[in-house]
Amino acid sequence: MTILVTGATGNVGSHLVRHLLDLGEAVRCLTRDPAKASFPEGAEVVEGDLSDPSTLPPALEGVTRAHLITFAGDDYTPIPNGESLVTQFTKAGVSRVTMLKGDVDATPIETAVAESSLEWTTLAPVEFMANMLEWVDGVQEGRVEEGFVDVPSTVVHESDIASVAAHVLVGGGYAGETLWITGPQALTVRERVEIIQEATGKHVDLVALSPEEVQAQWRSYGFSDDDIAYMTQMKTEPPMAARVPQDTVRTVTGREPLTFREWATENRTTFVAR
C-alpha cells in the first residue's frame, strides 16, 4: 500500500510524511519542484501538481490512499478541478482519502470527493500554532502588534493535525466525517505572548490593535471586503471548536495533543536568533 501525500512540503504535509513513515507505510510525496524539496529518508518524491491533472498519472501509480490539500499557490486559491481529480484518483485505485479543509465553504475538491465512491474524512483544524511565527520579528524587537488580543483560540500543533491524518489513512474508521482538530487549551493572544516570553526569556510588549486597524491591514494585504468580513466574524464570533478544546487528537491517535508551551519551546531558537 502506497500513500500519496499532497502538499508534502507544507506545515501539515511535512509532519504527515514523518508520521506515516513511523507507522511503517510506503509514502510518496507530491511536489511541484522536487529539486527544492527535502524529505526524510525512505520517502519517495514525485513531481506533480493537483491543479494540473495531466501531471498526476505517474504519481498515482500503485497508490491506494491519499492525503489531499484543497487549495494551492501562495494565495491559497481553492483548487478548481475537483471532478477530474476524483476521476483520476478512483481510476488509479485510490480508495481512501483525507482532506485538509481550508475554508468554511466546501471547495470543489471537497464537493467532488463527497459525491464520489471514495472513503473520505475531512480534517478541520482551528488556528495553526505555526501562525505565531509571524511574530518572530516582533519578538526579536520586543514589540508585537496584534488585534483581538482577548479572543481565545484552541491553537493546534501541525504535528497533531498530521498525526490524526496518518491514523485515519492507515486505520480508517471515520468515513464521511469532518473532524475538528484543536489543541488542548483555548489561549488568547495575551496568553500566547506570555508563554513565548517564558520560553525565550525575552520581554515583549503587546500592542493591542483596534478591529479597524486590523481590517485596514488586511485590506492592505489585498483581501476583499468579503474576506475581511469573514475573518472579522471568525475573530469576534469564533466557532465552538475555536473556543472549546475537542478530544479528536486523543480519540484518534491515543495520545494527548501537544501544548502551545511545547510548540514555543520547540521554536525558541527561531524566536531568539537573528
Side-chain angles (χ1 to χ4, degrees):
M1 175 180 74
T2 297
I3 299 177
L4 179 70
V5 178
T6 69
T9 60
N11 287 327
V12 174
S14 57
H15 284 289
L16 177 55
V17 171
R18 293 183 178 87
H19 284 305
L20 290 171
L21 290 172
D22 288 344
L23 291 173
E25 301 299 324
V27 182
R28 183 175 297 160
C29 306
L30 186 73
T31 178
R32 290 175 291 178
D33 192 349
K36 294 182 179 179
S38 177
F39 296 103
E41 183 178 354
E44 180 186 0
V45 183
V46 295
E47 183 175 357
D49 187 346
L50 282 184
S51 60
D52 183 1
S54 67
T55 66
L56 297 179
L60 290 172
E61 185 175 348
V63 169
T64 57
R65 298 173 190 182
H67 172 70
L68 301 177
I69 56 173
T70 60
F71 44 84
D74 295 335
D75 58 355
Y76 294 96
T77 301
I79 298 170
N81 45 300
E83 291 183 5
S84 60
L85 285 174
V86 166
T87 298
Q88 286 207 41
F89 273 67
T90 54
K91 184 178 180 179
V94 176
S95 60
R96 180 184 300 160
V97 299
T98 54
M99 298 181 289
L100 185 62
K101 193 171 184 64
D103 202 345
V104 171
D105 296 328
T107 62
I109 288 181
E110 291 175 74
T111 299
V113 169
E115 294 174 352
S116 74
S117 61
L118 292 168
E119 178 186 327
W120 58 270
T121 303
T122 298
L123 310 176
V126 295
E127 186 175 6
F128 288 11
M129 291 182 184
N131 289 355
M132 267 47 74
L133 291 175
E134 296 174 357
W135 297 345
V136 166
D137 289 345
V139 170
Q140 292 177 355
E141 294 167 3
R143 176 186 172 94
V144 168
E145 297 183 356
E146 192 59 77
F148 307 101
V149 297
D150 295 309
V151 177
S153 177
T154 52
V155 289
V156 60
H157 198 302
E158 297 73 35
S159 180
D160 284 335
I161 304 167
S163 184
V164 170
H167 280 79
V168 171
L169 286 168
V170 174
Y174 298 89
E177 295 187 33
T178 295
L179 301 179
W180 283 93
I181 307 173
T182 75
Q185 300 169 285
L187 298 170
T188 66
V189 169
R190 291 187 191 277
E191 291 168 327
R192 280 173 262 161
V193 169
E194 289 175 1
I195 290 171
I196 290 173
Q197 288 186 98
E198 294 168 3
T200 61
K202 294 182 69 67
H203 174 77
V204 180
D205 290 323
L206 175 61
V207 179
L209 302 179
S210 69
E212 293 75 20
E213 288 173 316
V214 176
Q215 290 165 347
Q217 283 187 346
W218 289 337
R219 192 167 288 107
S220 72
Y221 299 153
F223 288 107
S224 68
D225 288 342
D226 287 343
D227 289 334
I228 292 170
Y230 164 73
M231 292 188 292
T232 301
Q233 182 180 2
M234 288 299 100
K235 291 294 187 180
T236 56
E237 301 176 35
M240 183 182 71
R243 295 178 282 108
V244 180
Q246 307 295 295
D247 63 357
T248 304
V249 174
R250 179 179 56 79
T251 300
V252 177
T253 72
R255 63 166 179 76
E256 295 299 319
L258 298 165
T259 66
F260 186 74
R261 189 174 301 277
E262 290 174 299
W263 179 89
T265 301
E266 288 174 14
N267 290 277
R268 180 184 181 280
T269 301
T270 302
F271 279 107
V272 301
R274 281 193 176 273

